[in-house]
C-alpha cells in the first residue's frame, strides 16, 4: 500500500459552496461497462485542467519555451534579482508541467487502451523529466550559497523573502552536502537521499531483483475447499491464507513458506545488500545510522521511530489477548500463523449506491465542522467533476486522489456499491480535502505535504466513518462484522507494520555493527519478533520465521512505520473530535492547511498529537483492547 504519489495541488478558484442535493441516478456498476455508457455526471471533468487537447499541447510548448530563459539564468543565481526571477519562473512552469502530467495521467488511467492517451502520457513524462533536468542547477546553486550571501539577498530583494520557507527546506541538509566530485559519484551509485518528496524514487537494483525472483519462483499447487487442485500465485495466496477451511489455509501457508525457504540465501543476500547499501549512503553523508538519514529526509527525528517500537512493546498485551480470542472463537487447539487471517465472522451483504455512501460519509464527518462539510459536499457531488465514480472497461483498478496546484483535487474510484467502497471513498476524500485545504492556505512552494501527514488525513475519515457505522449498526451480526474489520485493521497496521519496522531497524543495526546478514540471522531475528508480538498462545511453525523473505515493504527504506504512526495519530485525533474538545476540529484543520510550512511533527503537535510521547500508540492499543472486549461480549450473547 505504498502511497500513490502526491503532487501538490490547490484550488485558487472560489467554490460555490452550500447545500447540494444530488439526483439519484441509478447506475449498476460493472467492470466491463464501456466508458461512454456511464452518465457523464459520474465522470471526472478534466477540462478544469485544460479546456482542450490543443491547450494541453500549448502547455507543453510553453514549458519548453522556458528552458531558454532557465539556461540564461544558470550560473548566475548569486545575483538576488536573477534568483528571484528564476524562482518565479520555476514555480510557474513547474505548476504548468504538473498540470500537463496530471491531465495525461488521469486520461490514461480511465482508459488504458486508448493509444492517443498513452502517447500523451509518455510525452508528459518526458516533459517533466526534461523540466527537472533543465532546472536542477537551481538546487545546486542555492545549496552552494553561504548563509551570509543569502541573508544579503533577502535584504536587497524583498520579493525573495516569500520563498524563504522553500529555500530553508532546500538548505536544511546542506551540511550533508559533499564536494561536487563526491556528489557526482554518489549520484552515479544511485543515491536517493536527496529525492524530492514529490518524486517517486526508482527502485534499487536489489529491490528489482527481489521482485524478479518472486515472479520467477514456481509456486506449488494446493487443493482448494472443494478438493480441486489450484495453482498458488502471489495474488491468490492471501485468499487461501484466509480460507475458513483450516486444511486449505494450512496447506497454502506451509507450501508457500516451504517454497520460499528454498531461496532463503538469495533473499537474504538481497535484503542484506539493501541494508548495506542504505548504510553506505548514510555513512557517505556522515549520518550515524541509515534510519537517521532516511528520517531526516522528511525532517523527522529518530525518536518518532524508536518511541513507536517502545510504545508497541509496552502495549503488546492486547495482541496476546487477540490471539487468545481467535483461539476461543475459532475453537482451535493451537493458534498457528495461518489461523491469524480467516475472518472471525462472515461478511454482511451490502448494496450501497454512491449517493447513499455520500450521505453516510457526510453524517460521519460532522465532527470536522461546517467548513470541511461544505467543501466535502461540493467535492462529492459528481456534477462538480472531482470524482470518477464507477469502474469501466479498461479503467485501471484501485482508487486514489491526485491534485496539482490551482485545480480542484481529483478522486478516482472503482465504486462497486460494496461496503468497503464506502470506506475507500471516505479515505480518498480525506486526501482530496487535505489537498484542497493546503492549496487554499499555502503558496505552491509550501503546499506539498509529506506522506507522514497525508495518511493521517485519510485515516481520520475512515475512523470517523467506522465509529458512526458501529454505533448505528442495525443487527448484532452487522456490528460484529464492523468490529472485526476494525480489529484486523488495527492488528495489521499498528502491530504488524511495527513488527516490520522493528525488523528493519534490527537488520540495519546488524549491518552497521559489521555483522554479516545471513538467512540464519534474519530467520532468528524475525522468529524472536513474532514470538514476542503474538505472545504465549501463538504456536510457531517450523517455517514461520521465513516470512520476512517475501515482504516488499522491507525495501521501502524506513517507510513502513508511517502506517503505524499514521493510524495511531488518526485514532487520537478522531477521539478528540468525537469528544468535541473545544478547538479540536480547528486545530486538526490547521494541520491540514499547514502543507509543508512546518516540520511534520510540529504540525501534528498543533493538532493535539505528540508522537515523541507514547500517548497515541496507547490510545490505539486501548481501542484494540476495547474492540476485543466488545467482540467477546457479542459472541457470548450469540
Ligand atoms: Zn491513502
Amino acid at each position: 500500500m505504498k502511497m500513490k504519489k502526491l503532487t501538490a495541488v490547490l484550488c485558487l478558484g472560489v467554490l460555490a459552496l452550500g447545500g447540494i442535493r444530488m439526483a439519484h441516478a441509478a447506475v449498476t456498476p460493472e467492470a466491463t461497462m464501456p466508458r461512454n455508457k456511464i452518465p457523464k455526471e459520474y465522470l471526472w471533468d478534466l477540462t478544469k485542467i485544460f479546456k482542450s487537447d490543443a491547450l494541453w499541447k500549448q502547455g507543453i510548448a510553453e514549458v519548453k519555451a522556458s528552458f531558454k530563459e532557465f539556461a540564461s539564468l544558470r550560473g548566475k543565481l548569486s545575483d538576488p534579482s536573477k534568483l528571484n526571477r528564476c524562482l518565479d519562473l520555476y514555480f510557474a512552469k513547474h505548476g504548468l508541467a504538473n498540470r500537463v502530467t496530471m491531465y495525461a495521467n488521469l486520461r490514461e488511467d480511465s482508459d488504458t487502451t486508448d493509444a492517443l492517451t498513452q502517447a500523451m502520457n509518455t510525452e508528459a513524462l518526458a516533459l517533466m523529466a526534461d523540466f527537472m533536468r533543465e532546472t536542477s542547477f537551481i538546487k545546486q546553486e542555492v545549496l552552494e550559497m553561504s548563509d551570509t550571501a543569502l541573508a544579503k539577498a533577502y535584504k536587497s530583494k524583498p520579493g525573495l523573502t516569500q520563498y524563504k520557507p522553500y529555500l530553508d527546506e532546500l538548505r536544511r541538509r546542506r551540511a550533508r552536502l559533499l564536494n561536487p566530485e563526491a556528489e557526482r559519484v554518489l549520484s552515479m551509485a544511485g543515491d536517493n537521499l536527496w529525492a524530492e518528496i514529490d518524486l517517486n524514487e526508482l527502485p534499487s537494483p536489489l529491490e528489482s531483483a527481489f521482485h524478479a525472483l518472486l515472479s520467477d519462483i514456481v509456486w506449488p499447487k494446493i487443493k482448494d475447499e472443494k478438493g480441486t487442485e489450484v495453482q498458488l500465485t502471489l495474488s491468490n495466496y492471501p485468499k487461501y491464507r484466509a480460507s475458513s477451511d483450516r486444511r486449505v489455509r494450512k496447506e497454502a501457508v506451509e507450501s508457500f513458506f516451504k517454497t520460499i525457504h528454498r531461496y532463503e540465501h538469495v533473499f537474504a543476500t538481497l535484503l542484506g545488500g539493501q541494508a548495506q547499501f542504505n548504510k553506505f549512503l548514510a555513512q557517505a553523508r556522515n549520518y550515524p545510522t541509515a534510519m537517521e538519514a532516511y528520517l531526516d529526509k522528511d525532517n523527522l527525528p529518530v525518536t518518532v521511530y524508536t518511541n513507536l517500537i517502545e510504545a508497541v512493546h509496552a502495549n503488546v498485551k492486547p495482541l496476546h489477548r487477540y490471539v487468545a480470542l481467535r483461539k476461543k472463537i475459532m475453537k482451535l487447539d493451537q493458534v498457528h500463523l495461518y489461523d491469524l487471517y480467516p475472518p472471525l465472522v462472515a461478511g454482511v451483504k451490502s448494496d450501497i449506491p454512491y449517493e447513499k455512501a455520500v450521505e453516510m460519509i457526510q453524517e460521519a464527518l460532522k465532527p470536522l465542522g461546517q467548513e470541511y462539510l461544505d467543501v466535502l459536499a461540493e467535492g462529492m457531488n459528481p456534477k462538480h467533476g472531482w470524482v470518477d465514480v464507477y469502474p469501466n472497461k479498461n479503467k485501471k483498478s484501485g482508487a486514489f486522489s491526485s491534485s496539482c496546484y490551482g485545480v480542484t483535487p481529483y478522486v478516482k474510484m472503482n465504486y462497486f456499491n460494496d461496503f468497503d467502497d464506502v470506506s475507500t471513498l471516505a479515505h480518498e476524500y480525506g486526501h482530496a480535502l487535505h489537498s484542497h485545504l493546503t492549496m487554499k492556505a499555502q503558496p505552491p512552494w509550501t503546499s506539498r505535504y509529506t506522506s507522514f501527514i497525508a495518511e493521517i488525513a485519510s485515516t481520520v475519515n475512515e475512523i470517523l466513518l467506522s465509529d458512526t457505522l458501529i454505533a448505528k449498526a442495525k443487527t448484532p451480526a452487522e456490528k460484529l462484522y464492523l468490529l472485526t474489520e476494525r480489529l484486523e485493521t488495527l492488528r495489521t497496521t499498528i502491530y504488524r507494520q511495527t513488527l516490520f519496522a522493528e525488523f528493519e531497524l534490527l537488520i540495519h543495526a546488524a549491518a552497521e555493527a559489521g555483522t554479516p546478514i545471513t538467512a540464519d540471522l534474519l530467520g532468528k531475528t524475525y522468529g524472536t519478533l513474532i514470538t514476542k508480538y503474538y505472545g504465549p498462545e501463538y504456536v510457531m511453525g517450523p517455517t514461520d520465521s521465513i516470512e520476512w523473505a517475501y515482504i516488499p515493504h522491507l525495501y521501502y527504506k524506513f517507510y513502513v512505520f508511517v502506517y503505524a504512526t499514521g493510524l495511531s495519530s488518526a485514532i487520537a485525533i478522531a477521539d478528540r473530535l468525537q469528544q468535541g474538545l473545544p478547538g479540536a476540529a480547528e486545530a486538526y484543520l490547521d494541520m491540514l492547511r499547514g502543507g509543508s510550512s512546518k516540520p511534520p511533527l510540529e504540525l501534528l503537535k498543533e493538532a493535539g498529537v505528540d508522537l515523541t510521547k507514547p500517548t497515541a500508540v496507547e490510545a490505539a492499543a486501548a481501542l484494540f483492547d476495547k474492540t476485543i472486549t466488545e467482540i467477546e461480549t457479542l459472541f457470548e450473547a450469540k
Side-chain angles (χ1 to χ4, degrees):
M1 71 177 189
K2 192 154 192 177
M3 259 194 7
K4 180 86 192 169
K5 170 183 123 176
L6 296 157
T7 350
V9 166
L10 199 27
C11 187
L12 294 173
V14 180
L15 295 171
L17 303 174
I20 290 142
R21 283 206 63 80
M22 290 191 196
H24 284 232
V27 173
T28 311
E30 244 181 276
T32 52
M33 176 97 85
R35 191 161 172 84
N36 61 14
K37 288 279 177 317
I38 296 175
K40 219 177 154 211
E41 66 172 280
Y42 291 108
L43 307 179
W44 50 28
D45 174 14
L46 303 185
T47 64
K48 290 161 185 267
I49 317 173
F50 287 105
K51 287 222 161 5
S52 66
D53 287 2
L55 288 171
W56 175 80
K57 278 236 168 262
Q58 207 175 301
I60 294 185
E62 214 182 292
V63 173
K64 284 190 175 161
S66 70
F67 293 169
K68 220 174 143 189
E69 191 179 349
F70 279 120
S72 77
L73 293 162
R74 186 190 293 258
K76 297 177 185 148
L77 300 189
S78 54
D79 173 342
S81 299
K82 297 235 154 77
L83 177 60
N84 198 351
R85 168 65 195 152
C86 192
L87 291 174
D88 289 348
L89 188 66
Y90 176 81
F91 284 106
K93 301 308 168 192
H94 187 239
L96 184 56
N98 265 337
R99 290 211 300 280
V100 164
T101 317
M102 190 161 88
Y103 184 78
N105 225 304
L106 299 187
R107 281 270 294 261
E108 200 204 2
D109 209 280
S110 51
D111 185 354
T112 52
T113 56
D114 184 336
L116 171 70
T117 60
Q118 282 172 1
M120 284 170 79
N121 208 13
T122 312
E123 199 177 345
L125 290 174
L127 177 78
M128 190 51 101
D130 287 349
F131 181 80
M132 297 318 280
R133 196 186 55 241
E134 296 295 324
T135 58
S136 62
F137 72 93
I138 303 175
K139 189 178 207 168
Q140 267 163 17
E141 291 186 33
V142 165
L143 287 172
E144 280 161 16
M145 281 177 91
S146 69
D147 289 342
T148 343
L150 193 60
K152 265 191 192 158
Y154 286 134
K155 267 204 185 121
S156 74
K157 192 80 198 165
L160 261 183
T161 322
Q162 60 175 331
Y163 295 117
K164 191 170 182 300
Y166 173 76
L167 295 174
D168 283 352
E169 175 54 27
L170 210 57
R171 291 165 59 83
R172 183 174 55 81
R173 292 177 294 162
R174 198 169 153 252
R176 305 288 175 185
L177 198 70
L178 306 177
N179 66 55
E181 190 52 19
E183 284 297 329
R184 190 178 70 84
V185 175
L186 277 185
S187 78
M188 283 163 66
D191 182 15
N192 44 28
L193 278 175
W194 295 94
E196 305 264 349
I197 53 175
D198 65 342
L199 286 182
N200 277 342
E201 273 179 27
L202 293 174
S204 71
L206 292 150
E207 185 180 351
S208 303
F210 161 78
H211 286 290
L213 173 58
L214 273 185
S215 67
D216 270 354
I217 287 179
V218 180
W219 300 102
K221 291 192 168 102
I222 59 161
K223 290 225 167 67
D224 72 5
E225 293 79 357
K226 288 179 189 138
T228 315
E229 193 173 72
V230 285
Q231 173 66 55
L232 211 55
T233 64
L234 274 178
S235 51
N236 68 18
Y237 170 64
K239 184 181 94 184
Y240 292 114
R241 180 178 64 181
S243 173
S244 306
D245 185 335
R246 198 176 192 207
R247 186 210 34 93
V248 175
R249 64 178 187 259
K250 180 176 193 283
E251 203 179 320
V253 170
E254 286 181 351
S255 61
F256 187 82
F257 281 3
K258 213 173 134 192
T259 307
I260 292 179
H261 206 265
R262 272 186 226 132
Y263 303 89
E264 64 167 343
H265 300 293
V266 190
F267 280 115
T269 308
L270 294 172
L271 190 57
Q274 182 70 54
Q276 291 291 355
F277 183 60
N278 296 343
K279 167 189 157 184
F280 156 72
L281 291 177
Q283 293 191 348
R285 296 193 184 283
N286 293 310
Y287 280 103
T289 62
M291 170 172 66
E292 188 169 335
Y294 282 97
L295 263 63
D296 194 27
K297 230 169 106 166
D298 281 347
N299 206 358
L300 292 166
V302 290
T303 45
V304 178
Y305 202 99
T306 48
N307 275 335
L308 169 73
I309 294 173
E310 278 167 28
V312 166
H313 284 183
N315 291 279
V316 79
K317 279 266 148 37
L319 185 60
H320 299 176
R321 207 183 145 207
Y322 164 92
V323 176
L325 175 80
R326 278 201 168 258
K327 186 173 178 180
K328 193 165 111 191
I329 291 179
M330 294 166 73
K331 300 187 174 69
L332 302 169
D333 50 341
Q334 291 183 329
V335 185
H336 287 266
L337 195 110
Y338 50 78
D339 295 319
L340 295 177
Y341 292 91
L344 284 170
V345 292
V348 285
K349 267 210 162 17
S350 53
D351 182 25
I352 306 162
Y354 177 77
E355 284 73 12
K356 176 73 190 152
V358 171
E359 280 172 22
M360 288 160 72
I361 292 169
Q362 279 173 330
E363 174 70 27
L365 300 189
K366 276 188 177 155
L368 290 169
Q370 203 53 45
E371 183 193 344
Y372 193 96
L373 292 175
D374 287 344
V375 185
L376 187 74
E378 159 86 15
M380 293 195 100
N381 185 334
K383 280 187 183 146
H384 295 122
W386 290 31
V387 59
D388 208 71
V389 180
Y390 294 108
N392 61 249
K393 197 168 176 234
N394 302 323
K395 180 174 172 177
K396 275 191 199 164
S397 61
F400 63 72
S401 166
S402 184
S403 55
C404 69
Y405 203 87
V407 187
T408 52
Y410 288 93
V411 171
K412 184 199 118 160
M413 289 294 299
N414 271 288
Y415 193 84
F416 275 103
N417 292 5
D418 281 343
F419 180 77
D420 282 354
D421 297 329
V422 185
S423 191
T424 306
L425 190 65
H427 179 106
E428 297 308 336
Y429 269 91
H431 289 312
L433 271 272
H434 185 190
S435 296
H436 171 89
L437 291 167
T438 308
M439 291 192 292
K440 221 172 146 192
Q442 300 292 332
W445 43 92
T446 48
S447 67
R448 293 175 307 183
Y449 40 72
T450 57
S451 47
F452 184 78
I453 296 286
E455 288 306 337
I456 298 175
S458 51
T459 320
V460 163
N461 286 9
E462 275 188 73
I463 293 165
L464 290 175
L465 175 68
S466 132
D467 277 347
T468 311
L469 296 178
I470 290 171
K472 290 191 169 173
K474 286 187 200 78
T475 62
E478 195 179 315
K479 189 167 183 180
L480 202 49
Y481 170 74
L482 292 164
L483 287 170
T484 54
E485 286 279 291
R486 163 168 287 181
L487 200 61
E488 278 314 291
T489 305
L490 290 165
R491 173 178 83 81
T492 54
T493 314
I494 310 271
Y495 289 108
R496 193 161 195 253
Q497 300 300 333
T498 304
L499 190 157
F500 291 158
E502 185 170 4
F503 181 67
E504 189 176 4
L505 180 59
L506 291 171
I507 51 180
H508 281 83
E512 280 151 8
T515 311
I517 312 284
T518 59
D520 187 51
L521 176 83
L522 292 169
K524 278 192 181 130
T525 309
Y526 196 82
T528 308
L529 287 179
I530 48 179
T531 314
K532 181 158 78 182
Y533 277 68
Y534 291 129
E537 295 284 8
Y538 169 77
V539 178
M540 175 102 140
T543 48
D544 288 2
S545 59
I546 193 70
E547 195 181 29
W548 61 268
Y550 88 103
I551 308 288
H553 302 69
L554 298 173
Y555 290 84
Y556 289 180
K557 291 167 289 223
F558 298 97
Y559 183 89
V560 291
F561 83 102
V562 164
Y563 300 131
T565 54
L567 181 57
S568 310
S569 307
I571 288 168
I573 290 170
D575 198 38
R576 287 164 52 88
L577 293 166
Q578 302 281 34
Q579 285 180 41
L581 291 184
E586 205 43 38
Y588 171 61
L589 297 191
D590 278 344
M591 178 192 90
L592 300 184
R593 292 185 193 110
S596 52
S597 60
K598 289 176 191 167
L601 222 52
E602 217 172 285
L603 284 172
L604 187 55
K605 213 171 191 170
E606 286 171 14
V609 180
D610 183 356
L611 279 186
T612 62
K613 300 210 170 76
T615 351
V617 176
E618 281 166 8
L623 179 64
F624 187 76
D625 203 49
K626 183 179 138 216
T627 311
I628 295 176
T629 306
E630 287 175 317
I631 291 173
E632 247 172 7
T633 314
L634 281 169
F635 261 102
E636 273 157 21
K638 254 180 148 183

